[in-house]
Amino acid sequence: MDRDRTDLPPENVEPGRPRVGVDEWVAQVDQRRDRPTGIAGVARRIGEVVTPPIRLAIVVVLAALVPLWLGEGDLFNYGIFVLLYILLGLGLNVVVGFAGLLDLGYVAFFGFGAYFYALLSSEHYGIHWPAIVSIPLVVLATSLLGLVLGIPSRRLLGDYLAIVTLFFGQAFVVFVNASNPKVAGKGLTGGPNGVADIDPVSFFGYEFTTRTQQYALLLAAGVVVLVGLHFLSESRTGRALRALREDPLAAEAMSIPVNRLKLLAFGIGAGIAGFTGCMFATLLTAVTPGNFDVPILITVYAVVILGGFGSLSGVILGAVVITVSFQFLAPENPQNNARVLFYTIILLAIVLAVRSWWRLLLVLAGTVGLGIAVHAIVAAFAPTWTSGQAVEAGRFGDLISDWVIIPQGHPDFGNVAYVALVVALLVLTQMRPTYRLLAIPAVAYLAAVVWETSFVEQPAVARWILFGALLVVLMNVRPQGLLGTPRVEIA
Amino acid sequence: MSNAAATEPAAPLLQLSGIDTYYGEIHILQSVDLHVKHGELVCLLGGNASGKSTTLKTILGIVSPHLGAVVYDGNDVTRTSTSERIRRGMAIVPENRRLFGPMTVLENLEMGAYLRPRGDFEEDLDRVYSIFPLLAERRGQLAGTLSGGEQQMVAMGRALMARPKLLLMDEPSMGLAPILVERSFEIIQEVHQAGVAMLVVEQNANVSLSIADRGYVLSTGRIVLEGKASELVQHDELRKAYLGR
């Protein structure tokens, strides 16, 4: 559709009669248009120049350069996982972002695709179909499964749909985990052990064996899906899906085929998840029920929510931020990664809460000073409370142990401090701004104490808590998601 | 789509006869008879809980009546689905307008034309723009950022994109400043003059009777008064009940 038509119909001007629908507002609209200056203005002008094809080209070129500076291992952990999450996020975005259907069973489609592909290409039944046949078959089957789930669910709205689909997702995990029906003398899905030794993906004899080759394959698939969804989103059907998301009743009154569109969204989303499942199975060479449980559902939702519902570029950005920060925090990585992120989050949170340079300086100086003072006082009266060493702190080790109270031989201190921190944060949100400014240094210092005495001992837990904190901070900065459209309503 | 002149002019476009509608066990509409002729502007007046919206829902098929028949354009549509009725030329401007807020004016209009052949889109758009030049100016703006009066225009434009034979309007004056109510009814009159039959459901008897051809008054689910708008304005009971004079 052409948005800039100049051949608008002539206004029906009759002398002596007010023209319906023309008012001063329109006459002045150009004077009223906000023209931001500075960085915001430059960003907006760049955004106007950089059209979607150019944006895609830039992202693809950058992504294609990634294998040049990541080793095979890092390319797998970062590059390939980012692409897998982008694909998963794009599929979920069709269902939740475009059509507004809260589908909590989405990961089951991913799992179904992965398992189906695994069974068609492993020693489990001794079937080794070529990928060129099995991938389309799996995608088709997963889409059909999406439709089958969609048909009874299409009359359900909001929470009801969420509960039904969540049940479906959990039913899938329970099913593949159970010792399910025997086929050819074997459990259909291999139970808790899953299916192992899945063939590497190959097309017409060309095997994708190195991580770089696999990365390139995923990148190509991602571009195809992205371009396809871009055209879907810009089509009349895409706009009808958005209309359905905004107001199903009004959409129905426009006689937009609401039910058919819901099924379409379910089918497309499931198909993309099924394809991602194939890729996941072949790249990890094994699938187990645990791969398709609630944590991955939360992560995929986080990708879509963080990027902004309905935004395709948002999914990419969300997947990059979440996968990279998650891998960065992985327990096998040095503790300092998590520590740096933790202090960055605290700093960001303070910047957001204070929003003024000289107050920020005061708060930061207060935090540092408070730490030094508390440490000095405690060291003078009860030396064992400060004689602990920071865990794996590298060159910051001495600095941290001289600032934060790290006790030796008081094992419960970390837990007590953690509970105190939670209480302090709750109190902080209820305080008046002036008092809050005074309380922030104390709470920030308490957070540092909790990190150094409690979280460093449990990296796996700390990872999730940090992840949650990061999401809370980012979503506070941009409630609509990083690239989402803010909702503006006057009426 | 056939044009109105080809069908028999004597038969009304919409005819409700002996409609009884229930919500669960509660009897809402009691033997309602009502008709709208081709090209006619009819208003349906009534206070709160008089059954105005239920009548609209029955006409659209959102609720189905226990008794009685809805005949539209010569066909009994009592058991036909809502989307089928809309396909046959009904359109609604819903209460509170219900625009697709984060979508542009143009996209809202496009959604109204969802059932129309794509080739006619530009033509339909020009027609709506010529009625509401403001919508042409604002076509790129998000509908949710418009003022109430402007949103009313988008809602009507969206309904007109389907080239309806019968336009149903649910409380067009709701939530609008008095001056905008007048403007809104001016628009209704303009659309009516373009040949669209309309049924306007309203609480504001004064303004709606001033532009309508005929009117009905609903009270607790029954039609208590009907007649030419010019006569209803003079009616003593109605004046007492709605006009406050």
PDB file of all heavy atoms in Angstrom, chain A residues 362-386:
ATOM      1  N   LEU A 362      27.359  11.849  44.361  1.00  0.00           N
ATOM      2  CA  LEU A 362      27.205  11.789  45.819  1.00  0.00           C
ATOM      3  C   LEU A 362      26.889  10.370  46.272  1.00  0.00           C
ATOM      4  O   LEU A 362      27.481   9.848  47.213  1.00  0.00           O
ATOM      5  CB  LEU A 362      26.081  12.725  46.270  1.00  0.00           C
ATOM      6  CG  LEU A 362      26.442  14.192  46.433  1.00  0.00           C
ATOM      7  CD1 LEU A 362      25.255  14.972  46.968  1.00  0.00           C
ATOM      8  CD2 LEU A 362      27.627  14.326  47.397  1.00  0.00           C
ATOM      9  N   VAL A 363      25.947   9.727  45.555  1.00  0.00           N
ATOM     10  CA  VAL A 363      25.528   8.384  45.954  1.00  0.00           C
ATOM     11  C   VAL A 363      26.691   7.406  45.832  1.00  0.00           C
ATOM     12  O   VAL A 363      26.948   6.599  46.738  1.00  0.00           O
ATOM     13  CB  VAL A 363      24.327   7.916  45.096  1.00  0.00           C
ATOM     14  CG1 VAL A 363      24.080   6.427  45.293  1.00  0.00           C
ATOM     15  CG2 VAL A 363      23.077   8.700  45.460  1.00  0.00           C
ATOM     16  N   LEU A 364      27.432   7.505  44.714  1.00  0.00           N
ATOM     17  CA  LEU A 364      28.554   6.582  44.524  1.00  0.00           C
ATOM     18  C   LEU A 364      29.633   6.804  45.581  1.00  0.00           C
ATOM     19  O   LEU A 364      30.139   5.854  46.186  1.00  0.00           O
ATOM     20  CB  LEU A 364      29.134   6.746  43.115  1.00  0.00           C
ATOM     21  CG  LEU A 364      28.230   6.238  41.996  1.00  0.00           C
ATOM     22  CD1 LEU A 364      28.925   6.395  40.659  1.00  0.00           C
ATOM     23  CD2 LEU A 364      27.841   4.790  42.233  1.00  0.00           C
ATOM     24  N   ALA A 365      29.954   8.094  45.829  1.00  0.00           N
ATOM     25  CA  ALA A 365      30.951   8.398  46.852  1.00  0.00           C
ATOM     26  C   ALA A 365      30.465   7.897  48.204  1.00  0.00           C
ATOM     27  O   ALA A 365      31.233   7.316  48.983  1.00  0.00           O
ATOM     28  CB  ALA A 365      31.210   9.900  46.898  1.00  0.00           C
ATOM     29  N   GLY A 366      29.160   8.083  48.471  1.00  0.00           N
ATOM     30  CA  GLY A 366      28.582   7.612  49.727  1.00  0.00           C
ATOM     31  C   GLY A 366      28.729   6.109  49.860  1.00  0.00           C
ATOM     32  O   GLY A 366      29.085   5.586  50.933  1.00  0.00           O
ATOM     33  N   THR A 367      28.477   5.377  48.768  1.00  0.00           N
ATOM     34  CA  THR A 367      28.572   3.914  48.820  1.00  0.00           C
ATOM     35  C   THR A 367      30.000   3.479  49.136  1.00  0.00           C
ATOM     36  O   THR A 367      30.223   2.644  50.023  1.00  0.00           O
ATOM     37  CB  THR A 367      28.133   3.319  47.464  1.00  0.00           C
ATOM     38  OG1 THR A 367      26.899   3.917  47.084  1.00  0.00           O
ATOM     39  CG2 THR A 367      27.959   1.820  47.562  1.00  0.00           C
ATOM     40  N   VAL A 368      30.947   4.076  48.413  1.00  0.00           N
ATOM     41  CA  VAL A 368      32.351   3.706  48.642  1.00  0.00           C
ATOM     42  C   VAL A 368      32.767   4.064  50.076  1.00  0.00           C
ATOM     43  O   VAL A 368      33.335   3.234  50.808  1.00  0.00           O
ATOM     44  CB  VAL A 368      33.273   4.420  47.623  1.00  0.00           C
ATOM     45  CG1 VAL A 368      34.734   4.170  47.962  1.00  0.00           C
ATOM     46  CG2 VAL A 368      32.959   3.915  46.218  1.00  0.00           C
ATOM     47  N   GLY A 369      32.420   5.288  50.488  1.00  0.00           N
ATOM     48  CA  GLY A 369      32.802   5.752  51.824  1.00  0.00           C
ATOM     49  C   GLY A 369      32.181   4.896  52.907  1.00  0.00           C
ATOM     50  O   GLY A 369      32.857   4.499  53.876  1.00  0.00           O
ATOM     51  N   LEU A 370      30.890   4.562  52.734  1.00  0.00           N
ATOM     52  CA  LEU A 370      30.192   3.738  53.713  1.00  0.00           C
ATOM     53  C   LEU A 370      30.902   2.403  53.865  1.00  0.00           C
ATOM     54  O   LEU A 370      31.124   1.910  54.983  1.00  0.00           O
ATOM     55  CB  LEU A 370      28.741   3.528  53.260  1.00  0.00           C
ATOM     56  CG  LEU A 370      27.882   2.694  54.209  1.00  0.00           C
ATOM     57  CD1 LEU A 370      27.536   3.493  55.452  1.00  0.00           C
ATOM     58  CD2 LEU A 370      26.621   2.215  53.523  1.00  0.00           C
ATOM     59  N   GLY A 371      31.294   1.818  52.707  1.00  0.00           N
ATOM     60  CA  GLY A 371      31.979   0.527  52.733  1.00  0.00           C
ATOM     61  C   GLY A 371      33.277   0.609  53.518  1.00  0.00           C
ATOM     62  O   GLY A 371      33.534  -0.227  54.398  1.00  0.00           O
ATOM     63  N   ILE A 372      34.060   1.649  53.214  1.00  0.00           N
ATOM     64  CA  ILE A 372      35.350   1.793  53.899  1.00  0.00           C
ATOM     65  C   ILE A 372      35.138   1.947  55.399  1.00  0.00           C
ATOM     66  O   ILE A 372      35.791   1.281  56.210  1.00  0.00           O
ATOM     67  CB  ILE A 372      36.134   3.005  53.330  1.00  0.00           C
ATOM     68  CG1 ILE A 372      36.487   2.718  51.861  1.00  0.00           C
ATOM     69  CG2 ILE A 372      37.377   3.292  54.143  1.00  0.00           C
ATOM     70  CD1 ILE A 372      37.019   3.908  51.110  1.00  0.00           C
ATOM     71  N   ALA A 373      34.170   2.797  55.759  1.00  0.00           N
ATOM     72  CA  ALA A 373      33.902   3.050  57.179  1.00  0.00           C
ATOM     73  C   ALA A 373      33.441   1.772  57.871  1.00  0.00           C
ATOM     74  O   ALA A 373      33.976   1.403  58.929  1.00  0.00           O
ATOM     75  CB  ALA A 373      32.847   4.143  57.312  1.00  0.00           C
ATOM     76  N   VAL A 374      32.455   1.094  57.289  1.00  0.00           N
ATOM     77  CA  VAL A 374      31.922  -0.118  57.928  1.00  0.00           C
ATOM     78  C   VAL A 374      33.032  -1.149  58.083  1.00  0.00           C
ATOM     79  O   VAL A 374      33.186  -1.771  59.141  1.00  0.00           O
ATOM     80  CB  VAL A 374      30.750  -0.702  57.095  1.00  0.00           C
ATOM     81  CG1 VAL A 374      30.381  -2.089  57.597  1.00  0.00           C
ATOM     82  CG2 VAL A 374      29.546   0.222  57.162  1.00  0.00           C
ATOM     83  N   HIS A 375      33.823  -1.307  56.993  1.00  0.00           N
ATOM     84  CA  HIS A 375      34.891  -2.298  57.034  1.00  0.00           C
ATOM     85  C   HIS A 375      35.892  -1.971  58.149  1.00  0.00           C
ATOM     86  O   HIS A 375      36.303  -2.858  58.918  1.00  0.00           O
ATOM     87  CB  HIS A 375      35.609  -2.343  55.682  1.00  0.00           C
ATOM     88  CG  HIS A 375      36.518  -3.512  55.531  1.00  0.00           C
ATOM     89  ND1 HIS A 375      37.813  -3.514  55.984  1.00  0.00           N
ATOM     90  CD2 HIS A 375      36.301  -4.741  55.000  1.00  0.00           C
ATOM     91  CE1 HIS A 375      38.360  -4.686  55.738  1.00  0.00           C
ATOM     92  NE2 HIS A 375      37.462  -5.462  55.130  1.00  0.00           N
ATOM     93  N   ALA A 376      36.245  -0.680  58.262  1.00  0.00           N
ATOM     94  CA  ALA A 376      37.217  -0.271  59.280  1.00  0.00           C
ATOM     95  C   ALA A 376      36.669  -0.533  60.682  1.00  0.00           C
ATOM     96  O   ALA A 376      37.371  -1.086  61.549  1.00  0.00           O
ATOM     97  CB  ALA A 376      37.571   1.205  59.108  1.00  0.00           C
ATOM     98  N   ILE A 377      35.409  -0.161  60.901  1.00  0.00           N
ATOM     99  CA  ILE A 377      34.825  -0.333  62.243  1.00  0.00           C
ATOM    100  C   ILE A 377      34.765  -1.810  62.605  1.00  0.00           C
ATOM    101  O   ILE A 377      35.181  -2.221  63.686  1.00  0.00           O
ATOM    102  CB  ILE A 377      33.407   0.301  62.285  1.00  0.00           C
ATOM    103  CG1 ILE A 377      33.525   1.815  62.118  1.00  0.00           C
ATOM    104  CG2 ILE A 377      32.707  -0.059  63.592  1.00  0.00           C
ATOM    105  CD1 ILE A 377      32.206   2.502  61.891  1.00  0.00           C
ATOM    106  N   VAL A 378      34.225  -2.634  61.658  1.00  0.00           N
ATOM    107  CA  VAL A 378      34.098  -4.060  61.953  1.00  0.00           C
ATOM    108  C   VAL A 378      35.466  -4.682  62.181  1.00  0.00           C
ATOM    109  O   VAL A 378      35.651  -5.492  63.095  1.00  0.00           O
ATOM    110  CB  VAL A 378      33.332  -4.787  60.812  1.00  0.00           C
ATOM    111  CG1 VAL A 378      33.320  -6.300  61.054  1.00  0.00           C
ATOM    112  CG2 VAL A 378      31.900  -4.275  60.728  1.00  0.00           C
ATOM    113  N   ALA A 379      36.443  -4.284  61.340  1.00  0.00           N
ATOM    114  CA  ALA A 379      37.793  -4.861  61.483  1.00  0.00           C
ATOM    115  C   ALA A 379      38.392  -4.537  62.838  1.00  0.00           C
ATOM    116  O   ALA A 379      39.130  -5.338  63.414  1.00  0.00           O
ATOM    117  CB  ALA A 379      38.693  -4.343  60.358  1.00  0.00           C
ATOM    118  N   ALA A 380      38.064  -3.349  63.367  1.00  0.00           N
ATOM    119  CA  ALA A 380      38.627  -2.933  64.643  1.00  0.00           C
ATOM    120  C   ALA A 380      38.027  -3.732  65.792  1.00  0.00           C
ATOM    121  O   ALA A 380      38.735  -4.085  66.739  1.00  0.00           O
ATOM    122  CB  ALA A 380      38.394  -1.445  64.862  1.00  0.00           C
ATOM    123  N   PHE A 381      36.733  -4.029  65.746  1.00  0.00           N
ATOM    124  CA  PHE A 381      36.086  -4.672  66.893  1.00  0.00           C
ATOM    125  C   PHE A 381      35.979  -6.184  66.754  1.00  0.00           C
ATOM    126  O   PHE A 381      36.027  -6.887  67.756  1.00  0.00           O
ATOM    127  CB  PHE A 381      34.681  -4.072  67.094  1.00  0.00           C
ATOM    128  CG  PHE A 381      34.723  -2.664  67.564  1.00  0.00           C
ATOM    129  CD1 PHE A 381      34.539  -1.603  66.688  1.00  0.00           C
ATOM    130  CD2 PHE A 381      34.981  -2.385  68.917  1.00  0.00           C
ATOM    131  CE1 PHE A 381      34.600  -0.299  67.132  1.00  0.00           C
ATOM    132  CE2 PHE A 381      35.043  -1.082  69.349  1.00  0.00           C
ATOM    133  CZ  PHE A 381      34.855  -0.025  68.454  1.00  0.00           C
ATOM    134  N   ALA A 382      35.787  -6.706  65.518  1.00  0.00           N
ATOM    135  CA  ALA A 382      35.612  -8.156  65.364  1.00  0.00           C
ATOM    136  C   ALA A 382      36.341  -8.615  64.109  1.00  0.00           C
ATOM    137  O   ALA A 382      35.757  -8.741  63.042  1.00  0.00           O
ATOM    138  CB  ALA A 382      34.121  -8.492  65.255  1.00  0.00           C
ATOM    139  N   PRO A 383      37.661  -8.852  64.271  1.00  0.00           N
ATOM    140  CA  PRO A 383      38.492  -9.125  63.084  1.00  0.00           C
ATOM    141  C   PRO A 383      38.049 -10.341  62.276  1.00  0.00           C
ATOM    142  O   PRO A 383      38.211 -10.349  61.061  1.00  0.00           O
ATOM    143  CB  PRO A 383      39.886  -9.351  63.692  1.00  0.00           C
ATOM    144  CG  PRO A 383      39.823  -8.835  65.081  1.00  0.00           C
ATOM    145  CD  PRO A 383      38.415  -8.836  65.510  1.00  0.00           C
ATOM    146  N   THR A 384      37.455 -11.380  62.910  1.00  0.00           N
ATOM    147  CA  THR A 384      37.105 -12.571  62.133  1.00  0.00           C
ATOM    148  C   THR A 384      36.027 -12.253  61.092  1.00  0.00           C
ATOM    149  O   THR A 384      35.867 -12.990  60.125  1.00  0.00           O
ATOM    150  CB  THR A 384      36.568 -13.710  63.029  1.00  0.00           C
ATOM    151  OG1 THR A 384      35.403 -13.247  63.707  1.00  0.00           O
ATOM    152  CG2 THR A 384      37.616 -14.169  64.020  1.00  0.00           C
ATOM    153  N   TRP A 385      35.269 -11.175  61.314  1.00  0.00           N
ATOM    154  CA  TRP A 385      34.178 -10.850  60.383  1.00  0.00           C
ATOM    155  C   TRP A 385      34.699 -10.256  59.077  1.00  0.00           C
ATOM    156  O   TRP A 385      33.949 -10.117  58.125  1.00  0.00           O
ATOM    157  CB  TRP A 385      33.190  -9.890  61.032  1.00  0.00           C
ATOM    158  CG  TRP A 385      32.341 -10.586  62.043  1.00  0.00           C
ATOM    159  CD1 TRP A 385      32.632 -10.794  63.350  1.00  0.00           C
ATOM    160  CD2 TRP A 385      31.097 -11.226  61.801  1.00  0.00           C
ATOM    161  NE1 TRP A 385      31.649 -11.504  63.956  1.00  0.00           N
ATOM    162  CE2 TRP A 385      30.676 -11.780  63.034  1.00  0.00           C
ATOM    163  CE3 TRP A 385      30.273 -11.374  60.687  1.00  0.00           C
ATOM    164  CZ2 TRP A 385      29.479 -12.484  63.170  1.00  0.00           C
ATOM    165  CZ3 TRP A 385      29.079 -12.065  60.817  1.00  0.00           C
ATOM    166  CH2 TRP A 385      28.686 -12.615  62.042  1.00  0.00           C
ATOM    167  N   THR A 386      35.968  -9.876  59.063  1.00  0.00           N
ATOM    168  CA  THR A 386      36.474  -9.293  57.819  1.00  0.00           C
ATOM    169  C   THR A 386      37.678 -10.048  57.291  1.00  0.00           C
ATOM    170  O   THR A 386      38.322  -9.610  56.353  1.00  0.00           O
ATOM    171  CB  THR A 386      36.901  -7.828  58.042  1.00  0.00           C
ATOM    172  OG1 THR A 386      37.859  -7.818  59.102  1.00  0.00           O
ATOM    173  CG2 THR A 386      35.750  -6.945  58.379  1.00  0.00           C
TER     174      THR A 386
END
